[in-house]
Amino acid sequence: MSGTLSSGRVPVRALRSPQAFIAGLGAAQIVSWGSLIYSFPLLAEPMAAELGWSKTEIYLLASLALGCSGLTAIPVGSAIDRGHGRAVMTAGSLLAGALLWSWSVLPGGWPLVLVFIGLGLAQSMTLYKPGFAVVARRYGAGARRGITALTLWGGFASTIFIPLTQLLLDRLGWRGTLEALALVNLALCVPLHLAVIDGRRDATTAAPASGAEDRRVVRWALGQPVFWGLAIAFTVYYAIFSALSFHLYPLLIERGLSAAAVVGAMALIGPAQVAGRIVIAAAAHTLSIRGIGVATTLALPAAFALLFLAGHSTPVLVAFALLYGSANGIMTIVRGAAVPDMLTRSAYGAVNGVLTVPTALLKAVAPTLAALLWRWNGSYGPVIVAAIAASLVVVGSFGFAACRRPR
């Protein structure tokens, strides 16, 4: 019985093979990203209409969730460093399912605020960062390949869940859509995390990191110019990504495009992410993370310039979606591999958690700041201009980090 699941049919060893490990984590990433991030912009409009809330008030909820996700990143990463990845990610999916269902039934008010704070905790326990930490713990120095493979799976989240959420909204309304998203977290993500993450192996593949060792490595990292270059680059980049993730749908609707056309354009971003990651995976042995990161950051201002110029032009909008999607896809790999490749392989979860805090704080307020910019001007034009300016900061700060070596 110890070698099989309770059904006695599928060997646990098979479910925890390297291929099944990445496939299971990857499928769960699709659901987690799709239900906790990509569904929100589509749900926001009908939710605001029913509750009588403004755009700024609705996006404050998203900011609360992202802020909580950032503040809890360090303890979550440290728990995974100590071998608790299976418990953390399983509990995160349970929490996500319960809170999505709670969101679907609440009439509004302060209980909804508490739900979104809890959803932020669920994000910090289920999205890429805990997934990367689990992969890093399993594979050690060979984690880059596993991280790349995991991002290939996650790249399909927007492609699957944006059309799926729109379909559910058309059939079930926004509350029924949330109930369906809650169910898929409980029915798919929870059993996948339990099945493919080997708690005993995670606890024994490396010596468990002590709190004192984590703190020593973190103090050393904070003294490195490379750390601060990366911190600024990732903080600003993910602020842009956060704002566009939550506002791209209404931004394109504002351009006069139909909902179907907008969903179609946004659905291209996912395949472009995957295509970019496949190219990088194929060239992984010949390209450094430094070089990949510099090239990727240079693509961001070009993508946002296309968005600014797109207007009603479908070909230009498609070009933006493909360039932005591929750059974002590659940037996810850079984010996951930058710490072990450019800084240190020790205490991955703790160092990544510290690097995440400023990223998450600005990422948290970015959707609300974008909503305020929209309110100030009555259009999304200033939001696009701000994204272009911020992307130039990303180029400069990552270039600074790429030219330095840790002492």
Side-chain angles (χ1 to χ4, degrees):
M1 192 68 162
S2 61
T4 62
L5 294 177
S6 58
S7 63
R9 295 179 182 177
V10 183
V12 168
R13 186 177 302 170
L15 288 173
R16 291 173 181 166
S17 67
Q19 296 80 7
F21 172 66
I22 294 297
L25 283 181
Q29 286 293 311
I30 290 174
V31 174
S32 297
W33 275 97
S35 58
L36 296 176
I37 300 294
Y38 290 118
S39 66
F40 184 88
L42 284 75
L43 293 162
E45 297 299 322
M47 177 183 169
E50 180 180 319
L51 300 180
W53 289 17
S54 69
K55 184 187 288 284
T56 304
E57 289 169 332
I58 288 292
Y59 281 93
L60 270 172
L61 293 176
S63 291
L64 279 173
L66 293 171
C68 180
S69 177
L71 291 174
T72 55
I74 295 177
V76 167
S78 294
I80 294 174
D81 282 344
R82 292 193 294 272
H84 303 303
R86 186 172 186 245
V88 166
M89 299 197 76
T90 302
S93 293
L94 281 168
L95 184 63
L99 291 173
L100 287 169
W101 180 86
S102 298
W103 179 8
S104 75
V105 299
L106 288 173
W110 285 107
L112 198 56
V113 171
L114 297 177
V115 163
F116 271 82
I117 292 173
L119 285 171
L121 176 59
Q123 290 171 12
S124 74
M125 297 168 73
T126 59
L127 298 182
Y128 275 147
K129 292 179 183 66
F132 291 162
V134 166
V135 171
R137 184 152 184 93
R138 173 69 65 89
Y139 293 122
R144 179 174 167 182
R145 177 180 292 184
I147 288 171
T148 301
L150 189 60
T151 63
L152 293 179
W153 282 86
F156 288 105
S158 61
T159 303
I160 294 171
F161 270 82
I162 290 174
L164 176 60
T165 302
Q166 186 65 58
L167 178 65
L168 291 171
L169 282 168
D170 293 340
R171 302 289 194 278
L172 306 175
W174 70 274
R175 293 187 183 275
T177 298
L178 284 168
E179 291 174 356
L181 296 177
L183 179 62
V184 75
N185 274 272
L186 297 174
L188 185 63
C189 294
V190 170
L192 279 175
H193 288 144
L194 284 172
V196 303
I197 304 175
D198 188 340
R200 290 173 300 176
R201 182 173 179 179
D202 287 344
T204 58
T205 49
S210 68
E213 177 66 11
D214 278 358
R215 289 190 293 273
R216 185 190 68 79
V217 176
V218 166
R219 284 195 301 271
W220 172 86
L222 289 171
Q224 306 302 315
V226 175
F227 175 91
W228 293 106
L230 292 176
I232 294 170
F234 293 141
T235 296
V236 178
Y237 168 74
Y238 279 104
I240 304 169
F241 171 77
S242 175
L244 280 185
S245 294
F246 288 101
H247 285 276
L248 188 57
Y249 180 84
L251 185 156
L252 296 177
I253 291 289
E254 182 181 274
R255 298 292 180 94
L257 298 168
S258 68
V262 171
V263 168
M266 292 178 67
L268 291 174
I269 293 175
Q273 288 179 335
V274 174
R277 290 164 184 166
I278 289 173
V279 170
I280 294 305
H285 297 296
T286 58
L287 299 175
S288 70
I289 284 296
R290 286 179 172 81
I292 294 169
V294 168
T296 304
T297 58
L298 287 170
L300 293 172
F304 298 137
L306 288 173
L307 180 60
F308 183 79
L309 298 171
H312 293 88
S313 172
T314 301
V316 178
L317 183 59
V318 168
F320 156 75
L322 295 176
L323 183 58
Y324 173 69
S326 58
N328 179 58
I330 297 169
M331 198 66 171
T332 305
I333 296 176
V334 174
R335 175 65 180 86
V339 169
D341 279 27
M342 296 175 65
L343 192 59
T344 177
R345 299 186 188 279
S346 302
Y348 180 95
V351 174
N352 233 20
V354 173
L355 194 61
T356 295
V357 172
T359 300
L361 292 178
L362 191 53
K363 181 180 174 181
V365 301
T368 301
L369 291 177
L372 289 171
L373 272 177
W374 173 88
R375 181 179 178 181
W376 167 68
N377 188 260
S379 76
Y380 276 106
V383 175
I384 302 174
V385 172
I388 294 172
S391 67
L392 295 175
V393 175
V394 177
V395 172
S397 53
F398 192 91
F400 170 82
C403 293
R404 300 291 188 277
R405 293 291 188 275
R407 294 190 297 269

